[in-house]
Amino acid sequence: VVAKGTDAGAGSRSGGERGGTVTVVAAPVKMEVIGDELRAIGTAAAVKATTLYPQSSGLISDMPFEVGAHVDQGAVLVRLDDQNERIAVDKAQIALADAQKLYDRAGQLAKSQAGTQVDLSNAESTFEKAKTDLRSAQVALDRRSITAPFSGTIGLATRAVGDLVTSTTPIATLDDLSAFTVTFDASQRFAAVMKVGVPITATAEGLPGATIRGAVTAVDTRVDEATRAFKVQAT
């Protein structure tokens, strides 16, 4: 497109002569990616991490794990002294067996009309209570052991065999190091493009030269009023 125009200033200086032509090139408007990228410092954490605590008080009788070793979910990591709880389970099993016999006998007598429905109902109640007592005793016994809630790596132990612990005493840490989550801040101008599944790359000071690949797994729904940024989590 060629447009002709007049330079008013030049015309006045040269006696009204017209100025030179101006060339204008028109093109359709389009959007292009120019390589905009976000760089941020994030905080990394194991995808699963927990501190192991006992559910009851007592003396540690066994810790069948090695620091830094990998353990499977459900593996017994700590045992507390459980002699009293085992005795309670044995007594509950004996009581349940006796209640079962009485209930069976009461049922037979009721069928032959040699016993009353009241006797059968009482025997049934005793039998159900014995089953509940056994479950309660078994729960108390199970709480004398700490098992791994998930597969992971055992960290440093803070207690040893023979220590007296309570339900608030930390024993050791357990971390799933198969993956890491990284939380970082993103400017609000990235809100439209920062979605779950967006690929990312990360570097760590402890792994010089290594590039770790991952993807966005969670995006916060709120923007901080002071920083105008929002939280993003990647795995």
Side-chain angles (χ1 to χ4, degrees):
V1 178
V2 178
K4 293 184 179 181
T6 302
D7 187 335
S12 62
R13 289 193 302 270
S14 58
E17 294 181 358
R18 294 184 178 279
T21 60
V22 178
T23 302
V24 178
V25 179
V29 177
K30 61 181 180 179
M31 300 291 292
E32 291 185 357
V33 178
I34 60 175
D36 198 8
E37 67 177 8
L38 168 67
R39 290 181 176 270
I41 297 176
T43 301
V47 66
K48 293 180 182 179
T50 188
T51 300
L52 303 173
Y53 290 87
Q55 296 187 62
S56 57
S57 302
L59 292 174
I60 297 177
S61 61
D62 190 18
M63 296 178 65
F65 67 84
E66 296 181 1
V67 174
H70 178 82
V71 296
D72 296 326
Q73 181 178 358
V76 176
L77 304 179
V78 179
R79 291 188 179 93
L80 302 182
D81 178 69
D82 57 5
Q83 292 184 13
N84 292 335
E85 287 73 19
R86 290 187 181 277
I87 292 174
V89 169
D90 291 341
K91 289 182 177 180
Q93 289 175 340
I94 294 173
L96 178 60
D98 292 341
Q100 176 77 63
K101 293 177 182 179
L102 292 176
Y103 176 60
D104 293 341
R105 179 172 176 78
Q108 293 173 355
L109 293 175
K111 287 181 181 180
S112 63
Q113 297 183 350
T116 65
Q117 289 296 324
V118 174
D119 293 336
L120 178 61
S121 178
N122 291 336
E124 183 180 7
S125 298
T126 302
F127 178 53
E128 293 299 327
K129 181 180 181 301
K131 290 195 294 185
T132 301
D133 291 341
L134 177 57
R135 287 197 297 268
S136 178
Q138 188 62 53
V139 168
L141 177 60
D142 293 340
R143 287 182 175 177
R144 307 300 288 178
S145 299
I146 302 176
T147 59
F150 52 83
S151 299
T153 303
I154 290 289
L156 293 177
T158 59
R159 293 295 183 269
V161 173
D163 284 348
L164 177 63
V165 296
T166 67
S167 59
T168 60
T169 305
I171 303 296
T173 57
L174 178 65
D175 298 278
D176 181 359
L177 304 179
S178 61
F180 291 88
T181 59
V182 180
T183 304
F184 57 91
D185 292 330
S187 173
Q188 63 178 356
R189 69 188 182 94
F190 289 95
V193 296
M194 192 61 68
K195 300 178 180 180
V196 174
V198 171
I200 69 160
T201 57
T203 58
E205 291 184 355
L207 300 171
T211 299
I212 308 168
R213 300 187 182 278
V216 173
T217 51
V219 180
D220 197 0
T221 57
R222 297 185 179 183
V223 176
D224 186 89
E225 295 181 357
T227 63
R228 311 310 300 174
F230 58 96
K231 296 289 184 182
V232 179
Q233 185 185 77
T235 302

